[in-house]
Amino acid sequence: VRLATFRLGNEDRVGVADVEHGVVHDVTDLLPSGAGVLDLITDWTRLRPALGSVRSTPAHPLDAVTLRAPIPEPRRDLFCVGKNYREHAVEFSRSGYDAAGRSEELPTHPVVFAKATTAVTGPFADIDPHPGLTREIDYEAELAVIIGKGGRDIPRGRASDHVWGYTIINDVTARDLQRAHEQWLLGKSLDTFCPMGPFAVSADEITDVTALGVSATVNGERRQSGTVKDLIFDIPDLMATISAGITLLPGDIIATGTPAGVGIGFTPPRFLTPGDVVEVSITGLGTLRNRVGHGPGGDRP
Ligand code: MG
């Protein structure tokens, strides 16, 4: 199933997308009052059967509604992973933007950081350029894992039991802030710096997650292209590492890292400026398309 959050009038509605027919079914009234996509994923076993009557619900053309991020307000900050594709780890070290230094050695442990929930924005919303705060906006195409069943100390071999599904994230980054503040939270967390979606796709829709291609274009020019199988630390590794001593919660989001080809991988760096359009695509999950705006942007009602 492909879950969506979309605006209808002044309300957020829960949708089930039928991409083949270009529509989104409004399933809000099949769910307990006030339940959103996060509640549905959290209580999936109990609520999933209600989606059985999806065909009887109103259908809207996908291009006639405004999609928000499928989980517009995550329960807590997103877990993100840095330097998790070899060639990207090398380009990041060479760029001089890694406050940890220029060592081109690959990480021996996953580099995990957080991205604030308030950075989340819609799959087609404008990105706020935050003029006066940053002059070095960069894009990062990433596969994100959505946790279903929570848990602690999840062993590799049990990781898939805890995965609800997947979505796409553009881990937009203010490189100047990332470098200046050493810790990455600020540079990664500016409002609108986490386009997400277009859908939350359940794991049963994906035959082999490691086969998925992750790519990005800027103004139509291909910049990034990778495959999930090339992750240095794979999804079970990441889940085992993060859940060692930290309880993962249903609805938690883990962004798995970005392949080579980000703006600071070029000499000179190629940063985003207002008017640029970034598209991030993952096989079977869809495409995010976000313009860098001339103002605050975002999709917050
Ligand atoms: Mg990233």
Side-chain angles (χ1 to χ4, degrees):
V1 65
R2 289 161 197 273
L3 300 179
T5 299
F6 66 99
R7 294 295 285 176
L8 193 69
N10 295 321
E11 263 190 283
D12 277 352
R13 310 289 290 183
V14 178
V16 170
D18 176 350
V19 175
E20 194 186 337
H21 296 100
V23 296
V24 59
H25 286 271
D26 186 340
V27 299
T28 312
D29 295 338
L30 301 179
L31 302 173
S33 175
V37 168
L38 178 58
D39 304 292
L40 180 51
I41 289 172
T42 300
D43 211 359
W44 184 239
T45 308
R46 192 171 69 87
L47 296 180
R48 178 181 201 170
L51 299 182
S53 42
V54 61
R55 286 179 193 284
S56 67
T57 60
H60 304 278
L62 270 168
D63 54 15
V65 301
T66 300
L67 290 181
R68 300 193 69 205
I71 301 177
E73 294 173 23
R75 206 188 301 280
R76 62 171 167 183
D77 291 353
L78 291 78
F79 293 98
C80 298
V81 182
K83 302 197 272 192
N84 203 21
Y85 287 84
R86 279 176 182 77
E87 289 170 24
H88 170 67
V90 171
E91 74 177 351
F92 184 51
S93 300
R94 283 186 186 153
S95 74
Y97 279 86
D98 186 353
R102 282 177 172 274
S103 164
E104 289 181 18
E105 285 170 24
L106 299 176
T108 53
H109 296 72
V111 177
V112 182
F113 61 94
K115 202 166 171 83
T117 60
T118 41
V120 171
T121 196
F124 310 113
D126 279 2
I127 295 166
D128 181 347
H130 294 272
L133 186 56
T134 176
R135 293 177 168 280
E136 300 188 343
I137 301 176
D138 208 346
Y139 50 87
E140 295 189 351
E142 306 205 9
L143 170 73
V145 177
I146 302 170
I147 299 299
K149 188 170 71 162
R152 219 187 89 170
D153 304 324
I154 298 168
R156 273 190 60 89
R158 289 237 164 254
S160 63
D161 298 347
H162 295 263
V163 173
W164 181 86
Y166 307 96
T167 192
I168 308 173
I169 275 178
N170 184 349
D171 179 18
V172 181
T173 305
R175 296 295 181 196
D176 36 12
L177 298 183
Q178 182 186 32
R179 178 166 59 184
H181 294 274
E182 301 195 14
Q183 296 286 326
W184 297 0
L185 180 83
L186 295 181
K188 296 285 192 176
S189 293
L190 303 185
D191 287 1
T192 72
F193 273 27
C194 190
M196 183 199 297
F199 311 115
V201 179
S202 57
D204 58 2
E205 298 268 349
I206 305 297
T207 311
D208 176 7
V209 69
T210 67
L212 301 185
V214 179
S215 64
T217 67
V218 177
N219 303 327
E221 177 193 336
R222 175 64 64 94
R223 296 285 185 86
Q224 296 186 276
S225 182
T227 306
V228 175
K229 72 169 162 42
D230 293 331
L231 287 174
I232 298 172
F233 302 102
D234 66 10
I235 292 168
D237 276 341
L238 298 176
M239 291 175 60
T241 299
I242 295 169
S243 73
I246 298 177
T247 301
L248 281 175
L249 303 172
D252 271 344
I253 296 165
I254 302 173
T256 55
T258 202
V262 300
I264 54 166
F266 294 88
T267 308
R270 302 175 74 179
F271 295 116
L272 299 173
T273 54
D276 285 346
V277 174
V278 190
E279 291 193 333
V280 175
S281 300
I282 298 184
T283 334
L285 300 185
T287 297
L288 306 177
R289 184 173 195 277
N290 301 88
R291 187 180 68 119
V292 180
H294 295 271
D299 72 341
R300 288 191 176 254

